[in-house]
Amino acid sequence: ELKVEQNPLFLSMQEGKNYTIYCNYSTTSDRLYWYRQDPGKSLESLFVLLSNGAVKQEGRLMASLDTKARLSTLHITAAVHDLSATYFCAGSNTDKLIFGTGTRLQVFP
Amino acid sequence: GAGVSQSPSNKVTEKGKDVELRCDPISGHTALYWYRQSLGQGLEFLIYFQGNSAPDKSGLPSDRFSAERTGGSVSTLTIQRTQQEDSAVYLCASSLQGWNTEAFFGQGTRLTVV
């Protein structure tokens, strides 16, 4: 059964700094998703990564996928307060969509 | 509608009562999912509907939980004899063709059992 783990669970970072959130998964995943959740809100889709070596960027966020290492990363460049949220990765195979525990990101001045 | 719609947005119920949560998926989406998110936690898979196939109920935590999807569109999640541990946000999502297509989430129903 597919299991997805994220780290760190909580990240407090200063504006302007860079950091990476890691997402490991246990078995083959057909694709990897990243979602953002603001407090009290639902999940917003950020990236869909389809194949090994895939890299996608949107603003200050860049996601990558290494299927051999079963690892996806979400890199934050020059963080700003608006990025404060909880970020989830999720993997899927023919069974179901499984979410990681989430990384709560807090960006402070 | 333009997105996944859930109702009610908030529900407070007494322990032991039954509740029904509704989800209207994006028009044309054949797959529909229910998840549960407890306070500060991740998303727990509950049930998955895909077209006319038998639903994947493997995530339902007990036989007090059931769900149906009528006409391949609207879905209702029913919790019978609610318990305090059922308190959570229940999220519904839909996707065009199933697990390998992007899932879009509704705003959720916040259930509080008192």
Side-chain angles (χ1 to χ4, degrees):
Chain A
E1 181 176 324
L2 176 63
K3 294 186 179 181
V4 180
E5 293 184 352
Q6 285 180 242
N7 69 84
L9 297 182
F10 181 78
L11 177 56
S12 181
M13 57 189 300
Q14 193 172 18
E15 282 187 331
K17 299 293 185 182
N18 304 332
Y19 208 81
T20 300
I21 299 171
Y22 297 89
C23 175
N24 292 88
Y25 53 97
S26 60
T27 64
T28 301
S29 180
D30 295 322
R31 53 190 63 189
L32 200 291
Y33 301 87
W34 284 96
Y35 285 86
R36 168 181 172 148
Q37 187 179 37
D38 291 292
K41 304 292 185 182
S42 191
L43 278 76
E44 173 192 357
S45 178
L46 294 175
F47 301 108
V48 181
L49 302 169
L50 302 179
S51 60
N52 187 43
V55 177
K56 291 196 174 180
Q57 184 164 3
E58 180 73 31
R60 301 174 187 274
L61 300 178
M62 183 174 72
S64 66
L65 179 62
D66 181 345
T67 57
K68 295 180 180 179
R70 294 178 183 164
L71 171 68
S72 180
T73 61
L74 181 66
H75 186 73
I76 303 153
T77 302
V80 293
H81 178 72
D82 284 351
L83 291 179
S84 297
T86 299
Y87 293 85
F88 290 94
C89 64
S92 71
N93 51 29
T94 56
D95 191 16
K96 55 179 69 75
L97 186 64
I98 301 296
F99 282 81
T101 50
T103 296
R104 185 179 171 191
L105 172 65
Q106 188 172 29
V107 181
F108 60 92
Chain B
V4 178
S5 177
Q6 291 186 246
S7 61
S9 54
N10 280 285
K11 177 72 175 179
V12 179
T13 190
E14 292 181 353
K15 178 181 174 181
K17 300 282 189 183
D18 298 351
V19 294
E20 285 189 353
L21 312 179
R22 178 186 168 104
C23 173
D24 281 276
I26 294 173
S27 178
H29 280 195
T30 63
L32 186 147
Y33 330 84
W34 285 96
Y35 288 86
R36 178 169 71 174
Q37 187 175 31
S38 300
L39 185 63
Q41 302 298 309
L43 276 75
E44 175 188 5
F45 167 80
L46 297 178
I47 190 169
Y48 163 52
F49 296 89
Q50 171 55 52
N52 296 322
S53 302
D56 179 348
K57 303 180 181 180
S58 60
L60 294 178
S62 77
D63 59 8
R64 295 186 296 105
F65 287 72
S66 63
E68 63 178 20
R69 188 178 184 193
T70 55
S73 181
V74 172
S75 177
T76 301
L77 177 69
T78 301
I79 308 172
Q80 295 178 312
R81 304 181 303 282
T82 52
Q83 304 294 313
Q84 287 187 330
E85 60 262 30
D86 299 334
S87 297
V89 175
Y90 290 81
L91 291 164
C92 175
S94 71
S95 71
L96 188 60
Q97 292 182 341
W99 291 112
N100 284 333
T101 54
E102 188 176 2
F104 296 88
F105 282 80
Q107 294 298 310
T109 294
R110 181 175 298 277
L111 175 66
T112 304
V113 182
V114 297

